[in-house]
Amino acid sequence: MKHIYLVGFMGTGKSTVGRALATSQGRRLIDTDDMIISRDGRDIPTIFAQDGEAYFRGLEQQVMADIAAMDEPAVVSCGGGVVLRDDNIRTMKSSGTVIWLTAGENEIYRRVVSDTNRPLLAGKKTPEEIKSMMEGRREKYEKAADITIDTENKTAEEIERMIKEELL
Ligand code: S3P
């Protein structure tokens, strides 16, 4: 399959692992949030604040369709909510392999606690709230995933090696 899609909740290391994987595979790295920002000209919190989540999801869906249509195989680091639209799941499954990165709520809390760039975590700062948000999405991630990797207590390089072995 063409692309390698990295999906998972915010703070599961998609960007860091994506960089390691793209380097080792000699592939281009595409970050869906970065593509949205460069197309729209605003950052993510501003898009959410001015136009709302549904508008953001529309931009995200368009970006996913455009990435799927690219010929050159890439590593794609996806925004955590990409699985919320079934269309995006279909798009990914028909154009690549989907890797779901997971971590427990305490680890995610530790990684995102001082972050101001994720509007959906504003005011959702306890591990319990993160856990409940993750549980609400679990079914979607399960539906999307071809391969699942637990990222807890592992370096990006270790995770990248595990993914390479799974892809063989
Ligand atoms: C979101 C995750 C973010 C970004 C937006 C919404 C989500 O990406 O797309 O803030 O709904 O989980 P990261 O997973 O890269 O933080």
Side-chain angles (χ1 to χ4, degrees):
M1 288 298 267
K2 188 172 56 177
H3 295 319
I4 300 170
Y5 291 102
L6 298 177
V7 302
F9 199 75
M10 294 170 270
T12 50
K14 292 164 296 200
S15 303
T16 315
V17 172
R19 268 193 298 278
L21 197 59
T23 303
S24 85
Q25 304 275 296
R27 289 177 180 230
R28 176 176 168 208
L29 175 67
I30 300 173
D31 181 295
T32 63
D33 282 345
D34 288 348
M35 219 165 131
I36 290 168
I37 292 164
S38 80
R39 283 185 178 189
D40 184 87
R42 294 174 292 172
D43 62 20
I44 306 280
T46 307
I47 297 173
F48 269 74
Q50 294 182 345
D51 290 324
E53 180 174 352
Y55 181 81
F56 173 81
R57 297 296 171 206
L59 298 177
E60 187 170 58
Q61 186 172 344
Q62 186 59 56
V63 156
M64 291 303 289
D66 292 346
I67 291 169
M70 292 175 182
D71 290 332
E72 184 193 343
V75 172
V76 186
S77 170
C78 298
V82 90
V83 296
L84 295 175
R85 290 206 174 174
D86 284 341
D87 262 355
N88 292 337
I89 296 181
R90 276 192 290 275
T91 299
M92 290 191 285
K93 289 191 107 44
S94 63
S95 60
T97 304
V98 183
I99 297 167
W100 177 25
L101 302 183
T102 68
E105 62 275 11
N106 292 314
E107 176 67 16
I108 290 184
Y109 173 76
R110 201 180 58 72
R111 293 181 193 171
V112 302
V113 68
S114 55
D115 179 48
T116 55
N117 203 36
R118 291 178 166 114
L120 293 182
L121 290 182
K124 279 205 194 292
K125 291 270 194 278
T126 68
E128 292 69 31
E129 283 163 320
I130 288 171
K131 181 176 184 189
S132 122
M133 242 185 123
M134 278 204 295
E135 284 305 319
R137 291 181 174 187
R138 168 174 298 279
E139 191 192 332
K140 300 283 191 183
Y141 288 123
E142 279 170 356
K143 185 173 166 191
D146 296 306
I147 295 164
T148 305
I149 308 260
D150 176 9
T151 66
E152 290 233 11
N153 305 313
K154 296 186 189 86
T155 66
E157 285 66 32
E158 284 168 334
I159 298 163
E160 177 259 312
R161 275 197 297 276
M162 288 172 75
I163 293 173
K164 267 199 320 214
E165 279 165 26
E166 292 276 355
L167 288 174
L168 283 180

